[in-house]
Amino acid sequence: MDPLVLARVQFALTAGSHFLFVALTLGLATLVALMQTRATLSGGAVHARMTRFWGQLYVVNYAVGIVTGLVMEFQFGLNWAGMSRMTGGVFGAPLALETIAAFFVESTFLGLWIFGWDRLNRWVHLGLIWVVTLTAYLSAYFVLVANGWLQRPVGYEMRDGAARLTDVGALLTNPTALLAFAHVLFGGLLTAGFFMAGVSGYHLLRRTAEVEFFRRSMRMGLVTVMAAVMPVVVVGGMQYQYLQPTKTGGDDAAAAVADFTARFGPGDYMAPGLAGVGEGVMTGLWSLMMFLALAALVKVWSGRWLVRGRVFHVVMVCAVPLPYVAMLSGWVFREVGRQPWMVYGVLKTRDALSPGVGSGTITVSFVAFTALFAVLVGVNAWLLARFARRGPDGAALGAAPPVAPSAPAVSATF
């Protein structure tokens, strides 16, 4: 098989798998921070238990997601050395900021939040989860700045065959990055909202004793869905004004093809058909989720309906995968539609491939990465399901350590 095809499919699988973790992490971190804020301000036991239960699921998803992100990074040097050599001076800058300024801070403060439960002042502990949430946003922003430059390269110039950054402001305020950032944040909230509603629906369907706990969780999840679903659609639509002409078609596409042909020679510069499939699936699923949000809006404030609506509970459980599939479909539309360019109008994907990499080498790495990511996704799903089924009483996050039994008194009789 063509090494280029293998390298592209490999990166698609690994990046897509990693994105599954990112979507839930961004949204769930925000909701956990809001839960803890409510618990800290009110002193309510229910919200404190909600923070521990949903926070534990967040930590599980975050921990496994870190591994997928680290593995994905290896591919830039393994398969895409041509890209690193030509565009690393621009593309690598936001990724370095993501690692140094966002990821390290986020993981450090998350560790303090996990192990500082009941050891730190409650306000300090609350501040930690908000730092974690905000740095998670910052991490996503820098990654999308890098991706936005691939979609719409700005603030650079070519010197000696390599891209050099000339305008940091243009790079950081690239509309394709800013709009994608907002789109991903609202998509993460939508994912977390459906996740909370689905887990809560599962427990309410089983007639759990924790009715009040999961009634509140269900309501919070549904409110999040209703708050996020429309902004996701609006921001997604705003991105169309910055789409590549070869992705949208029309006279502008013909002009772009003529320009590329003159500069780079004959070739197929129109977006592949898979991009249109991704757009269609994404649009259909967003419509379905908007319908579910409107249906939930009708009686979301009825506590009895939330508890006794067994059909609705089943629907919420089945709806958990919808935002995942929709976001992956949107990612396919965004990334596949850029082809045949790695950096649109600057560097072709074929020229970005590492020199001398044959199909045998990429096949081995493809099998290894695919197997590893399949295991990681499976482990994450199993752990989330396992801890979710246990309910709030099974949450170990923030729980007091067991007290060791005291040693029996020893008689001093001689």
Side-chain angles (χ1 to χ4, degrees):
M1 184 179 290
D2 186 354
L4 177 62
V5 175
L6 281 173
R8 287 180 57 195
V9 173
Q10 176 179 310
F11 193 84
L13 289 175
T14 52
S17 300
H18 178 63
F19 191 62
L20 296 176
F21 297 89
V22 173
L24 183 59
T25 293
L26 287 174
L28 206 53
T30 307
L31 297 184
V32 170
L34 291 173
M35 292 174 203
Q36 186 165 349
T37 301
R38 179 80 178 270
T40 302
L41 293 174
S42 66
V46 173
H47 289 95
R49 295 179 72 217
M50 288 173 63
T51 303
R52 295 173 188 265
F53 175 70
W54 296 108
Q56 179 167 278
L57 296 178
Y58 160 72
V59 170
V60 169
N61 188 76
Y62 178 87
V64 183
I66 287 177
V67 181
T68 63
L70 293 175
V71 173
M72 187 182 67
E73 292 290 340
F74 289 134
Q75 293 183 80
F76 288 119
L78 182 66
N79 294 338
W80 304 106
M83 173 190 175
S84 301
R85 182 174 57 253
M86 181 175 177
T87 66
V90 180
F91 179 75
L95 293 183
L97 289 173
E98 188 272 336
T99 301
I100 297 172
F103 174 72
F104 285 164
V105 176
E106 179 185 2
S107 56
T108 300
F109 278 79
L110 179 59
L112 291 172
W113 182 74
I114 294 172
F115 298 106
W117 220 294
D118 296 329
R119 294 179 175 87
L120 298 173
N121 176 278
R122 60 173 182 161
W123 296 104
V124 173
H125 195 251
L126 174 62
L128 292 176
I129 189 61
W130 277 110
V131 171
V132 169
T133 303
L134 294 176
T135 49
Y137 291 170
L138 193 62
S139 178
Y141 166 71
F142 282 131
V143 170
L144 288 168
V145 165
N147 180 266
W149 188 77
L150 300 181
Q151 304 286 338
R152 183 174 177 266
V154 295
Y156 78 101
E157 66 178 13
M158 298 299 297
R159 297 183 201 160
D160 301 323
R164 295 289 183 265
L165 183 61
T166 59
D167 190 342
V168 177
L171 177 68
L172 297 180
T173 59
N174 192 343
T176 58
L178 297 179
L179 291 173
F181 174 63
H183 193 57
V184 167
L185 287 192
F186 284 116
L189 288 171
L190 192 64
T191 303
F194 272 111
F195 179 78
M196 283 188 67
V199 173
S200 301
Y202 168 79
H203 282 278
L204 293 173
L205 189 64
R206 297 175 60 202
R207 302 301 191 189
T208 178
E210 298 283 355
V211 173
E212 179 63 16
F213 181 95
F214 287 109
R215 183 184 68 83
R216 288 176 179 268
S217 296
M218 172 72 84
R219 178 173 291 174
M220 186 172 188
L222 292 177
V223 169
T224 303
V225 168
M226 290 184 290
V229 66
M230 186 56 69
V232 165
V233 175
V234 172
V235 177
M238 292 171 64
Q239 295 182 74
Y240 274 77
Q241 62 183 310
Y242 296 104
L243 290 181
Q244 298 90 347
T246 51
K247 187 184 293 184
T248 56
D251 295 338
D252 291 339
V257 170
D259 176 60
F260 294 151
T261 302
R263 292 165 53 197
F264 298 94
D268 184 5
Y269 295 104
M270 295 300 294
L274 183 60
V277 174
E279 181 185 24
V281 173
M282 173 188 65
T283 305
L285 289 177
W286 290 134
S287 301
L288 176 58
M289 286 186 286
M290 288 183 66
F291 171 78
L292 292 176
L294 291 174
L297 179 63
V298 176
K299 295 183 178 180
V300 71
W301 300 113
S302 172
R304 177 180 298 180
W305 182 78
L306 288 178
V307 173
R308 297 185 179 181
R310 296 178 67 82
V311 174
F312 185 73
H313 298 159
V314 174
V315 171
M316 286 296 100
V317 173
C318 295
V320 170
L322 293 181
Y324 286 107
V325 179
M327 294 185 77
L328 285 178
S329 300
W331 177 79
V332 169
F333 174 61
R334 179 179 176 89
E335 298 303 307
V336 174
R338 189 178 71 241
Q339 297 303 315
W341 301 102
M342 178 64 77
V343 183
Y344 190 77
V346 176
L347 175 65
K348 287 186 176 181
T349 305
R350 181 171 293 279
D351 296 330
L353 196 65
S354 298
V357 175
S359 59
T361 302
I362 296 185
T363 299
V364 172
S365 64
F366 174 81
V367 172
F369 278 125
T370 302
L372 177 59
F373 271 73
V375 170
L376 290 173
V377 171
V379 167
N380 186 67
W382 175 73
L383 288 173
L384 287 177
R386 180 184 180 187
F387 286 109
R389 282 197 302 265
R390 288 181 177 181
D393 288 338
L397 182 65
V403 179
S406 58
V410 178
S411 174
T413 304
F414 293 92

